[in-house]
């Protein structure tokens, strides 16, 4: 066994090891180069992140239409002025912009937005992907790919060769949440789905899924669900899960990711920023994990109030892997709280974080901030066991960090229940 880390050095060593461990980021909205403008990067995209748009409307209310008709650069100037210059940028989303600029070696103290723009104009997307992956110490990012998206679909239909660092996921919100409209879209693509989800419709939905699995080679299938998600019930969602999605997921040994608790468009004027959160019913997760032991489920929940019960549910089902501090959970105070309770209840058998990045550069700050918190919590836990006489070694800390930052996910993908 390698030399134990002296108790007084555990914190520093754990921090270094976590920083040095490359991450597999299991949920993002990033796109590889062939998807063109769907790949967002640069300072104006950073500043017009929908999180910051919501925050800007709080301090500088204006007619929504007036904001949306502004150019991206003018929207960024507006947000920069109100959230960064006229008041201190201390929210997590504001701080993230500054962390990213700082890690890119730009002079944050100068507060010179046009100088930052100059830097991004001086580079290109391909070089920037390499630069960002290196700074964030990422090895792979998992995308969110939607066959119902009219811009994205043709890219897949034409055929796309992906950079191996970008992994696809088959996202199916429109199918599961709006079956009637999805049925019409499937019909327009040649699938016979006009009979109210009877057996023949179900067969056609399975064919649609298999067509896209062959085209996209996704590493999991995913959906976001509202707080009132229940399972089983008499909805089209239950029928689609039971008869279409989960049988196909089993056949291809693909996990099904459920992201539960989004209250969609509580303020539609804010567009992407208009969604909110609601406490969901974890028993739906328990029922689906219990009913389908040969399926694998990745689950993250949006409400802080659901986190402890989700940890307990994960203790009951080996086919349930909980992950990330999603969206409104992705703030230091909550990341720390739920990482502690996850390690205390689940040890290292969970996936502590994903970035959910929409702008390429965001992975720099989202992972720098989260690595710091995860390392601090881990250091506490190693110090606790070292106090009993247990020997904590660099080799084992490195092993554990690799599990948390990608290894658990990869093993879960490989595992056949
Ligand atoms: O449904 C999702 O995947 C969410 O992450 C939404 O995309 C949300 O708008 C978001 O970006 N959250 O971080
Ligand atoms: Zn997301």
């Amino acid at each position: 066994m390698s030399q134990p880390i002296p108790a007084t050095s555990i914190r520093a060593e754990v921090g270094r090891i976590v920083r040095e461990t490359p991450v597999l980021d299991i949920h993002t909205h990033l796109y590889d180069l062939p998807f063109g403008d769907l790949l967002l990067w640069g300072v104006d995209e950073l500043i017009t992140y929908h999180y910051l748009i919501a925050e800007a409307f709080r301090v500088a209310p204006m007619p929504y239409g007036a904001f949306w008709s502004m150019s991206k650069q003018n929207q960024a100037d507006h947000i920069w002025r109100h959230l960064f210059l006229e008041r201190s940028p201390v929210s997590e989303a504001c701080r993230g912009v500054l962390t990213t600029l700082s890690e890119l070696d730009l002079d944050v103290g100068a507060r010179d937005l046009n100088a930052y723009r100059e830097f991004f104009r001086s580079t290109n997307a391909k070089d920037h992907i390499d630069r960002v992956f290196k700074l964030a110490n990422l090895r792979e990012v998992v995308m969110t790919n939607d066959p119902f998206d009219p811009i994205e679909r043709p890219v897949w239909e034409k055929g796309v060769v992906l950079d191996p660092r970008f992994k696809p996921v088959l996202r199916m919100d429109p199918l599961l949440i709006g079956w009637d409209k999805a049925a019409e879209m499937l019909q327009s693509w040649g699938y016979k789905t006009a009979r109210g989800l009877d057996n023949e419709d179900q067969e056609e939905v399975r064919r649609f899924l298999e067509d896209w699995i062959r085209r996209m080679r996704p590493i999991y299938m995913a959906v976001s669900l509202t707080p009132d998600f229940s399972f089983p019930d008499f909805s089209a969602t239950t029928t689609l899960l039971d008869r279409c999605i989960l049988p196909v997921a089993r056949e291809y040994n693909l996990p099904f990711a459920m992201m539960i608790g989004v209250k969609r468009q509580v303020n539609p004027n804010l567009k992407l920023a208009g969604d909110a959160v609601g406490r969901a019913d974890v028993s739906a997760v328990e029922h689906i994990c219990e009913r389908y032991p040969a399926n694998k489920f990745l689950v993250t929940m949006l409400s802080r109030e659901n986190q402890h019960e989700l940890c307990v549910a994960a203790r009951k089902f080996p086919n349930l892997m909980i992950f990330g501090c999603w969206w409104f959970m992705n703030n230091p105070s909550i990341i720390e709280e739920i990482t502690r309770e996850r390690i205390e209840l689940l040890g290292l058998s969970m996936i502590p974080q994903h970035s959910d990045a929409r702008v390429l550069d965001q992975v720099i700050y989202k992972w720098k901030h989260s690595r710091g918190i995860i390392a601090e919590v881990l250091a506490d836990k190693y110090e606790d066991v070292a106090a009993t006489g247990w020997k904590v070694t660099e080799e084992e800390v490195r092993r554990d960090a690799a599990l948390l930052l990608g290894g658990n996910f990869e093993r879960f993908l490989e595992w056949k229940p």
Side-chain angles (χ1 to χ4, degrees), residues 9 42 57-59 140 150 291 323 337 347 351 386 413:
S9 308
F57 269 101
R58 292 191 48 69
V59 299
E140 289 169 5
R291 187 164 173 170
F323 74 94
E337 175 187 286
I351 299 168
L413 293 183

Side-chain angles (χ1 to χ4, degrees), residues 222-235:
V223 70
S224 71
L225 295 160
T226 51
D228 58 359
F229 171 61
S230 66
F231 187 90
D233 62 13
F234 297 98
S235 67

Side-chain angles (χ1 to χ4, degrees), residues 291-308:
R291 187 164 173 170
Y292 300 95
N295 277 92
K296 301 182 284 191
F297 298 95
L298 291 161
V299 174
T300 195
M301 296 185 83
L302 193 51
S303 167
R304 176 175 173 242
E305 287 63 32
N306 279 137
Q307 300 307 319
H308 182 256

Side-chain angles (χ1 to χ4, degrees), residues 27 29 171 259 326 356:
H27 170 60
H29 298 272
R171 180 73 176 253
M259 305 169 69
W326 183 29
D356 225 331

